[in-house]
Amino acid sequence: MDLPRSSALNSGAPALPPMRGADDRVIETDIPSRLDSLRWSGFHTRVVLALGITWILDGLEVTLAGALSGALKESPTLRFSNFDVGLANSAYIAGAVIGALGFGWLTDRIGRKKLFFITLAVYLTATAATAFSWNLASYTLFRFLTGAGIGGEYTAINSTIQELVPARYRGWTDLVINGSFWIGAAMGAVAAIVLLDPDLIGPDLGWRLAYFSGACLGLVVLVMRMWIPESPRWLMIHGRPEEAHAIVADIERSALGAVQEQPQHGWPKIKLRMRHHTPLREVAHTLLTLYRTRSLVGLALMTAQAFFYNAIFFTFALVLTDFFGIASNQVGWYILPFAAGNFLGPLLLGRLFDTLGRRAMIAFTYGASGVLLALSGYLFSIGMLSAQTQTIAWMVIFFFASPAASAAYLTVSETFPLEVRALAIALFYAIGTGIGGVVGPTLFGALIDTGSRDSVFAGYLLGSALMIAAAVIGWRYAIAAERRPLESVARPLAFVE
C-alpha cells in the first residue's frame, strides 16, 4: 500500500509534470518503511557521532571567535577594534551563507556522502590558515572560508540525519545534535582559558594555537566519516535502487543482526520515477508555489534565531570586557555555564517536540526566549546586573533559545521533499542568516562601541521582538510533523500515483 499522503499537499497548487531524463524508470520501494521501523541501535548512535560532530566544530569556531576577541584587540600584530571583530565575525557568517547555497545545490545533485568530505576539507584548510593571519584582511578572508565549509556541512548532514533516523526519534535526535554545538562551545571556552593565559603563552601565540585546535578535531572527524553510507532515500530516487537496498540491508544487519522480516501484510511501499537531478525551475516551483506557506515559516524561524544568536553570542565577550571589566583571558569561565544552559535545553526539552508536538514547542521556546531577553535587557540597561548575574540570565534565556534555534533547522529539513531538502536547508539558512546573522554581529559591535547600555538594550529589544513574532508564526502555521515518515510530511516530487 502507499504511504499516507500529507493533507498539506492538497494546497491546490499546480504540480510540475514529472521531469524525464536518461533514467525515468518507475520503481516500487519499501526503503522508507524499513528505515522508519528500526529501533534505535549502535548504527544510529555512530551516525549521530560522526555527523553531529559538525555542530561541535561550529561551536568551537564561534566560541573561539567570541572568546578570542579581546586577544585579537590586544594582539601586537592585529590590534583589532570592536568594529573589526564584528566585521570578521560577520565575514564568517557570510561565508557560511554562501557555502550553504553552493554546497547545498551540490548535495541534492551529487549526493550527501561526497559533500561530507569536500566541506570538511574546506573547513580544515581554512581554520588552519586562520592561525597564520597577519592583518584584518587576511583574518577576515580565512574566517569567510571557514564559514563556507561549516555552511556546506549543515546542508549535507542535516539531510542525511533526517533520512537515516527513524521517524519516532527524529525530533529529539535533531535537536540534541544541533545542541551539541555547545559542547564545542565549552571546548572553545576551555581552550581560550588555557591558551590566553599570559603566564603560559604569549599574547600573539595563544589565539593562533586556538584555531589549530579546530583543525585537529576536524582530522578526527574525517576518519570517523569513512564508514557512513550514502542516504538510501537519495539513492532510490537517483537511479541507484540496487545500491540503496543493499545499504538498507546492511543497516538492518547492523541494527538487528539480520535483515528485517516483513510484517504479515508486507511493508508499505511507494512508487517513484527515478531521476538524475531536479532542475532549478522545479525547485523554485516547489518552494515558492507548492510549499509557499512552509517556506515563509522556515524563513521566519531561521531569521529570528539567527539574529538572536549571532548578535548576542558573537559579542558576548565584548559585553563582559567593556561593560563589566572582565579580563579577556577570563571570558572562557563565563562561557562554560552559558554553554551548559544551551546544551541542556535541547537535551531536556527535545522529547517534548516528539510528544507535545512541533507547533506547541516552537511557539513556547521562541516566545519564552523573546520575553526573557527583553526582561534581562532592561535589567542590564539600568545597571542591575553584575557579570555573574548577567551570565545566569543568559544561561536561562538560552536554555529555551537553544531548542528554538534547533527547531528551525528541524522544520526546514523535514517539511520539504527529498529532492530539494538540502537546497531548501541551504536557502533558508542563507536568507535567514544573511538577514539576521550578518547584520547582527556588526550592529551589536557598533552599539557596544557607543558605550551606552541603552543602545545595547535597543538591540536586545529588536532580537526579542523577532523571536516573539516567530513564536506566533510557528504556532499558527508550522507543520505537525512529529512521528510521521518524511514521505508523509512532504511527498517526494518523484512520487507516482
Side-chain angles (χ1 to χ4, degrees):
M1 67 179 185
D2 290 341
L3 289 175
R5 180 177 179 177
S6 172
S7 60
L9 294 174
N10 298 320
S11 60
L16 285 178
M19 299 303 300
R20 304 283 177 149
D23 189 347
D24 60 358
R25 291 174 292 162
V26 174
I27 61 168
E28 191 172 39
T29 181
D30 57 13
I31 282 177
S33 302
R34 290 167 64 187
L35 289 172
D36 282 333
S37 69
L38 291 171
R39 64 174 182 265
W40 192 267
S41 68
F43 167 80
H44 299 102
T45 301
R46 292 191 296 272
V47 168
V48 167
L49 290 176
L51 299 182
I53 204 167
T54 291
W55 281 262
I56 295 179
L57 289 174
D58 192 21
L60 178 67
E61 286 295 323
V62 171
T63 305
L64 287 177
L68 298 178
S69 58
L72 295 172
K73 291 162 63 179
E74 297 167 3
S75 166
T77 302
L78 300 182
R79 299 186 182 279
F80 283 178
S81 67
N82 286 340
F83 179 80
D84 293 337
V85 172
L87 177 64
N89 290 336
S90 291
Y92 174 85
I93 298 298
V97 167
I98 294 173
L101 287 172
F103 291 125
W105 177 76
L106 285 173
T107 298
D108 280 332
R109 194 174 183 93
I110 67 175
R112 284 47 169 142
K113 186 171 183 176
K114 290 179 182 177
L115 268 295
F116 295 162
F117 298 101
I118 295 173
T119 55
L120 188 57
V122 171
Y123 164 79
L124 282 172
T125 303
T127 196
T130 304
F132 295 98
S133 302
W134 58 91
N135 57 20
L136 176 61
S138 62
Y139 181 84
T140 301
L141 173 63
F142 295 143
R143 293 302 292 162
F144 174 86
L145 294 174
T146 302
I150 289 292
E153 288 269 286
Y154 278 150
T155 59
I157 290 169
N158 261 311
S159 301
T160 305
I161 289 172
Q162 292 287 336
E163 292 162 14
L164 289 177
V165 172
R168 60 189 179 279
Y169 305 115
R170 194 170 63 235
W172 181 79
T173 302
D174 199 83
L175 263 68
V176 170
I177 287 174
N178 279 277
S180 67
F181 174 101
W182 297 100
I183 297 175
M187 293 170 61
V190 172
I193 291 170
V194 175
L195 296 174
L196 296 183
D197 187 338
D199 295 329
L200 297 176
I201 300 173
D204 206 38
L205 180 61
W207 66 268
R208 297 180 188 275
L209 293 177
Y211 282 116
F212 271 121
S213 65
C216 292
L217 181 58
L219 286 174
V220 175
V221 179
L222 189 66
V223 175
M224 293 175 65
R225 289 189 182 168
M226 294 295 182
W227 58 268
I228 298 292
E230 179 59 89
S231 165
R233 282 177 155 107
W234 183 87
L235 289 169
M236 71 184 183
I237 285 179
H238 289 81
R240 297 157 67 181
E242 295 82 7
E243 185 178 347
H245 281 277
I247 288 175
V248 172
D250 286 341
I251 292 173
E252 291 172 334
R253 281 189 286 267
S254 175
L256 306 173
V259 175
Q260 288 189 94
E261 294 185 7
Q262 288 197 34
Q264 183 177 359
H265 300 292
W267 296 111
K269 296 181 179 181
I270 56 174
K271 288 183 179 181
L272 300 169
R273 187 181 305 279
M274 291 186 291
R275 53 173 70 188
H276 284 306
H277 69 281
T278 300
L280 288 178
R281 72 180 183 89
E282 191 174 8
V283 173
H285 171 82
T286 302
L287 299 180
L288 301 179
T289 302
L290 194 59
Y291 291 108
R292 182 186 297 114
T293 299
R294 297 186 187 193
S295 295
L296 293 174
V297 170
L299 180 61
L301 297 182
M302 278 291 195
T303 301
Q305 68 84 24
F307 183 92
F308 190 88
Y309 254 99
N310 292 299
I312 295 171
F313 190 58
F314 268 123
T315 54
F316 180 97
L318 297 180
V319 171
L320 291 175
T321 55
D322 287 24
F323 289 99
F324 295 109
I326 302 301
S328 61
N329 64 338
Q330 296 297 307
V331 168
W333 293 113
Y334 293 87
I335 292 178
L336 288 176
F338 182 83
N342 273 277
F343 181 66
L344 289 173
L347 185 66
L348 299 178
L349 299 180
R351 291 287 187 192
L352 299 178
F353 282 79
D354 285 324
T355 55
L356 293 182
R358 307 289 200 255
R359 292 175 57 249
M361 289 305 297
I362 288 172
F364 172 67
T365 53
Y366 270 83
S369 304
V371 171
L372 290 172
L373 178 63
L375 177 60
S376 71
Y378 173 71
L379 295 177
F380 168 80
S381 71
I382 62 175
M384 290 290 291
L385 298 177
S386 64
Q388 292 74 26
T389 54
Q390 176 70 77
T391 302
I392 292 171
W394 276 330
M395 183 177 176
V396 174
I397 291 167
F398 284 88
F399 177 85
F400 298 102
S402 184
S406 298
Y409 289 96
L410 173 64
T411 298
V412 299
S413 60
E414 71 180 354
T415 56
F416 294 96
L418 182 146
E419 296 91 334
V420 301
R421 178 167 293 125
L423 189 53
I425 295 169
L427 283 170
F428 296 115
Y429 171 80
I431 298 172
T433 304
I435 296 172
V438 174
V439 173
T442 303
L443 172 62
F444 267 71
L447 292 176
I448 292 169
D449 265 342
T450 67
S452 167
R453 288 176 178 259
D454 288 338
S455 296
V456 177
F457 177 42
Y460 288 150
L461 285 179
L462 176 57
S464 173
L466 289 173
M467 292 296 279
I468 292 172
V472 174
I473 292 170
W475 172 254
R476 176 65 180 84
Y477 296 107
I479 301 298
E482 56 273 9
R483 302 183 302 278
R484 293 171 57 190
L486 290 172
E487 290 73 19
S488 171
V489 177
R491 195 176 67 175
L493 301 177
F495 182 85
V496 176
E497 296 285 357

